[in-house]
Amino acid sequence: MTDDTATTSPIILPLINLTTDPEVLIFNIDDAKKLRNEYNILGVLTGTLQQYPQQNTFLSVPLRLVIWEVLWLLKNKKAILVDQKAYRTARLTGEVSNTNYSGNLITTANTEPSADLELAMKYQVPVKEYVRRYLANSTFTVDTFIRYARYYSHLQNHGYFINPGLKFGGDLVIYPGDPLRYHSYSIVKFEFVDMHQIVVGGRLATSVKKNLVIMGERNLSTQKHDEVDDEVIDEIFEDSVPLTFSIEWAGFG
């Protein structure tokens, strides 16, 4: 069997502002296509297109990746996380020859030379620092964050296409194939056992022709993590099989 990591160059994931807003935004169109076609990573398009006034239907790059997608890519060595400001400064100040000058104009291509990968690797951001900065700007506890990352990874490893599930009252929505061709059939909710929420969630899911999937840990660890260290990263990247239940109202909707 061929090792994909040995034959495929990793995707450069630009981390825009590690200090205050650790978002990963993909501007490279080829990378966005590769994420979707090869790794089932959808992200969320957030850019505007002037020729399309209905921006809720047609959106463009940048493609924003949620942290679960980033961690899955890093775990499986499909990508490297790069300090975008330092990397772009290095390119502009001459570490790589700039071929984007055309007369008095500076053009920016939709793709970048593969030779830039060597330069980008000099500015990799450690995953521990990325997670630490993200948690500093979120409401997650470290232990909840570890569990949620595992749940996402479990679904992604099964080949689903995954989107945020907020508009359906869940954490995620999963698709059996590309959402351009398939409807989603499950709303995924992490860790709730309140019977009122289960009833409401099950009825809502069934009314939109989906089932409700609840995910939880099989064995909750009694160890609590107060800060992000190497052990936390190991736990995030550890494969696990969560408890999974599906709920659907028969004859309803």
Side-chain angles (χ1 to χ4, degrees):
M1 182 179 293
T2 303
D3 184 0
D4 291 339
T5 60
T7 57
T8 304
S9 297
I11 294 173
I12 297 173
L13 300 181
L15 190 59
I16 304 303
N17 189 333
L18 178 61
T19 304
T20 59
D21 190 18
E23 293 280 1
V24 172
L25 300 178
I26 305 292
F27 288 87
N28 187 316
I29 292 176
D30 284 348
D31 285 346
K33 289 166 60 178
K34 185 175 181 179
L35 286 169
R36 190 181 193 104
N37 295 336
E38 297 185 21
Y39 305 137
N40 300 355
I41 298 289
L42 298 173
V44 179
L45 287 168
T46 59
T48 58
L49 294 170
Q50 291 183 351
Q51 64 268 39
Y52 292 113
Q54 288 186 305
Q55 295 297 318
N56 59 327
T57 304
F58 300 101
L59 292 172
S60 182
V61 291
L63 181 76
R64 183 177 66 84
L65 298 187
V66 299
I67 192 166
W68 319 122
E69 294 170 327
V70 174
L71 291 176
W72 186 88
L73 290 165
L74 297 176
K75 171 185 175 181
N76 291 279
K77 297 181 170 55
K78 305 297 185 185
I80 60 172
L81 191 62
V82 173
D83 183 333
Q84 179 70 351
K85 182 177 180 180
Y87 166 57
R88 298 299 293 182
T89 300
R91 292 192 73 222
L92 293 173
T93 54
E95 287 195 36
V96 171
S97 58
N98 194 327
T99 59
N100 293 335
Y101 290 98
S102 177
N104 294 323
L105 299 176
I106 299 177
T107 61
T108 302
N110 288 330
T111 61
E112 295 180 346
S114 58
D116 282 358
L117 178 61
E118 184 177 348
L119 175 64
M121 293 179 73
K122 296 180 181 179
Y123 299 98
Q124 285 191 72
V125 176
V127 64
K128 180 170 67 176
E129 181 66 11
Y130 170 55
V131 172
R132 188 176 70 80
R133 292 288 187 178
Y134 178 87
L135 288 173
N137 291 278
S138 78
T139 58
F140 283 116
T141 66
V142 178
D143 295 288
T144 300
F145 183 86
I146 292 171
R147 295 197 301 274
Y148 283 20
R150 285 176 169 181
Y151 300 153
Y152 174 89
S153 182
H154 176 75
L155 293 170
Q156 187 70 38
N157 289 340
H158 278 71
Y160 293 112
F161 284 75
I162 304 172
N163 257 336
L166 181 61
K167 67 180 179 180
F168 293 110
D171 292 299
L172 302 172
V173 175
I174 58 176
Y175 301 77
D178 193 309
L180 295 175
R181 300 177 59 195
Y182 296 89
H183 289 292
S184 63
Y185 55 58
S186 295
I187 300 170
V188 180
K189 186 71 178 176
F190 298 153
E191 296 181 353
F192 72 79
V193 292
D194 179 272
M195 289 305 299
H196 176 73
Q197 288 184 311
I198 290 175
V199 171
V200 171
R203 289 172 66 93
L204 172 61
T206 305
S207 69
V208 292
K209 303 187 186 308
K210 307 182 195 308
N211 63 11
L212 176 67
V213 174
I214 303 174
M215 302 183 72
E217 283 283 358
R218 290 179 178 272
N219 298 299
L220 284 176
S221 173
T222 56
Q223 181 181 3
K224 300 298 182 183
H225 299 90
D226 297 321
E227 59 183 24
V228 178
D229 54 19
D230 291 337
E231 182 182 355
V232 167
I233 303 305
D234 290 340
E235 289 193 37
I236 290 173
F237 284 5
E238 186 179 273
D239 287 326
S240 65
V241 180
L243 281 172
T244 306
F245 302 92
S246 64
I247 298 172
E248 187 171 3
W249 255 238
F252 178 81

